[in-house]
Amino acid sequence: MFIEINGIKVNYTESGGGETLLLLHGWGCNESVYRGVTQNLAKRFRVILPELPGFGKSGEPSTAWGVSDYAEFVLDFCGVLGLKPNAVFAHSLGCRIAIKLLAQNRLTPSKVIFTGAAGIKPKRTAAQKLRTQVFKAKKLFLKPFPEALEKMRKKYGSADYRDASPIMRSTLVKIVNEDLTELLSQINRDILLIWGENDDSTPLADGKTMEQLLQNAGLAVIKNAGHYAFLEQPELFMKILDSYTSQA
């Protein structure tokens, strides 16, 4: 289904019935990635999944967005549809958005599930800092030569960066450079953290840090799984999900 939010055409899905659960997806994802999760949650909830601007079938923002822009979008989306989510499921980028809204008490669900949660900015090594400085210098030098500049971006950038449009590349840079660590202690919601032991996008150490800083959180670790634990170990992931969501 499509809806227009502040001039952006937004695709979203709705399934199940009962209390409303808002599902916030990760970077580069669309609704199809979460169908297994959605089918599971739809047994207990009315699941609403918006494809965030710049992803799936939704239009891109006209300028580069940061986490706060996406947070405002989510609130506008909920306002247009008249949603007051009783639960939130978030993955990766979606967790960044949820962290900001939960810390500000602008979303007040009784249950929250984070998996592969992003939001803690990693400390960069000396080698990484040098690589960034070299990239910036070459970028400035190659600005008059767009083809050469694009080749360099593909060489230095991550897969997410390489695959993104110019606006979404700038969006990615803004988002990953925002550290949300200080907001975690302000969140007083009941939160289940589900983490893949081998997650190399948001390391398990981030999950342990979040468990310590959040006021009321528990961490479930899934072995032989990475950033997409719900796809890599779906049976165990769904059992953990069922146990948490079935609690009164």
Side-chain angles (χ1 to χ4, degrees):
M1 294 180 282
F2 286 94
I3 190 171
E4 188 169 304
I5 306 291
N6 298 328
I8 300 175
K9 188 177 181 182
V10 176
N11 182 46
Y12 73 98
T13 63
E14 178 176 345
S15 56
E19 294 185 332
T20 299
L21 180 143
L22 180 66
L23 196 156
L24 299 175
H25 65 73
W27 182 274
C29 296
N30 57 46
E31 60 84 18
S32 67
V33 175
Y34 301 90
R35 284 179 185 168
V37 171
T38 299
Q39 290 171 3
N40 177 282
L41 292 170
K43 295 183 295 185
R44 297 183 179 86
F45 298 98
R46 174 195 179 202
V47 181
I48 307 293
L49 190 167
E51 290 186 325
L52 299 170
F55 305 102
K57 297 177 183 176
S58 294
E60 289 187 353
S62 58
T63 59
W65 278 13
V67 179
S68 293
D69 298 299
Y70 276 105
E72 292 299 327
F73 162 80
V74 168
L75 291 178
D76 290 342
F77 174 83
C78 289
V80 170
L81 291 182
L83 305 177
K84 293 184 178 179
N86 305 96
V88 170
F89 178 102
H91 173 230
S92 196
L93 165 64
C95 298
R96 291 181 184 271
I97 300 167
I99 287 169
K100 185 148 286 195
L101 291 172
L102 292 169
Q104 298 168 347
N105 279 318
R106 300 175 83 188
L107 278 184
T108 56
S110 58
K111 289 184 181 293
V112 179
I113 305 103
F114 282 176
T115 184
I120 296 176
K121 186 178 179 180
K123 293 182 179 179
R124 294 192 300 166
T125 65
Q128 288 172 326
K129 290 178 181 179
L130 178 60
R131 181 181 172 89
T132 300
Q133 290 173 351
V134 171
F135 174 76
K136 287 181 177 178
K138 288 185 175 181
K139 182 179 176 182
L140 185 62
F141 177 76
L142 293 173
K143 192 173 182 180
F145 311 100
E147 290 185 6
L149 181 59
E150 183 62 21
K151 286 181 180 179
M152 188 193 69
R153 281 178 172 146
K154 289 181 178 179
K155 178 181 177 182
Y156 279 87
S158 65
D160 284 338
Y161 186 85
R162 290 195 304 269
D163 294 341
S165 68
I167 283 178
M168 296 310 291
R169 284 177 179 174
S170 297
T171 293
L172 179 60
V173 170
K174 288 184 71 171
I175 286 172
V176 300
N177 282 310
E178 184 170 356
D179 191 353
L180 304 178
T181 306
E182 292 186 358
L183 297 181
L184 295 172
S185 61
Q186 300 174 28
I187 299 173
N188 61 1
R189 298 286 144 188
D190 187 83
I191 299 181
L192 170 65
L193 304 169
I194 309 179
W195 230 275
E197 182 183 40
N198 304 322
D199 192 330
D200 57 6
S201 295
T202 52
L204 178 56
D206 288 1
K208 293 178 179 178
T209 298
M210 287 191 178
E211 183 184 26
Q212 292 175 349
L213 295 178
L214 291 163
Q215 294 182 34
N216 189 21
L219 175 64
V221 180
I222 298 181
K223 293 187 176 182
N224 301 314
H227 195 53
Y228 293 84
F230 52 91
L231 297 178
E232 298 163 272
Q233 296 288 345
E235 186 174 347
L236 179 55
F237 190 97
M238 300 310 169
K239 283 182 179 180
I240 294 170
L241 207 53
D242 284 343
S243 176
Y244 177 70
T245 57
S246 63
Q247 296 173 14

